[in-house]
Amino acid sequence: QVQLEESGGGLVQAGGSLRLSCAASGRTFSSVRLGWFRQAPGKNREFVAAISGSGVNTYYTDSVKGRFTISRDNVLNTMYLQMNSLKPEDTAVYYCAVDRRGTGWYSWKSSYDYWGQGTQVTVSS
């Protein structure tokens, strides 16, 4: 069993930055893919970014490329999402997730087995 806890969300003005963290406990996740998703009010949960077990490969949805950076520290069992140049449309609850099997597509919600409770990010204009 894996427990995930996100932190770092908050209220920020457009153009500002936030750094989200996702701490894992239970089992170590050093060999598995991790992802960030977000869900805005009235919308479906959508893929934001993913990172391979080694941290070498990263993937982003087009709307955040060049602004967001995903990273991980396998010693600390923690994943990060550095968010720069934030826009009001980035406002959402952000969730981290673990993909144990690694057999599905990195952007599919169904590929991920464990989810955190989410952290709210609000970007004011």
Side-chain angles (χ1 to χ4, degrees):
Q1 190 73 10
V2 176
Q3 293 81 43
L4 303 173
E5 183 173 3
E6 303 95 339
S7 61
L11 173 64
V12 64
Q13 288 187 331
S17 299
L18 284 173
R19 187 193 195 204
L20 304 184
S21 298
C22 173
S25 60
R27 296 179 60 179
T28 59
F29 61 24
S30 59
S31 62
V32 298
R33 184 163 64 200
L34 306 174
W36 286 101
F37 288 74
R38 65 187 180 186
Q39 187 166 15
K43 295 188 176 181
N44 292 327
R45 191 171 299 188
E46 64 173 2
F47 169 76
V48 176
I51 187 167
S52 62
S54 65
V56 171
N57 298 310
T58 57
Y59 314 90
Y60 300 92
T61 192
D62 286 346
S63 63
V64 308
K65 285 180 181 177
R67 300 189 298 123
F68 290 10
T69 302
I70 189 171
S71 61
R72 65 192 294 165
D73 186 328
N74 287 340
V75 174
L76 296 178
N77 268 10
T78 302
M79 174 175 65
Y80 306 97
L81 186 67
Q82 177 66 44
M83 305 186 296
N84 299 327
S85 302
L86 282 161
K87 304 175 180 180
E89 51 263 44
D90 294 318
T91 295
V93 177
Y94 284 70
Y95 299 89
C96 62
V98 173
D99 173 8
R100 292 180 304 158
R101 296 159 293 176
T103 56
W105 195 245
Y106 59 82
S107 62
W108 292 348
K109 294 187 296 290
S110 60
S111 298
Y112 294 82
D113 309 283
Y114 298 102
W115 295 81
Q117 293 301 305
T119 184
Q120 176 71 46
V121 171
T122 303
V123 184
S124 63
S125 58

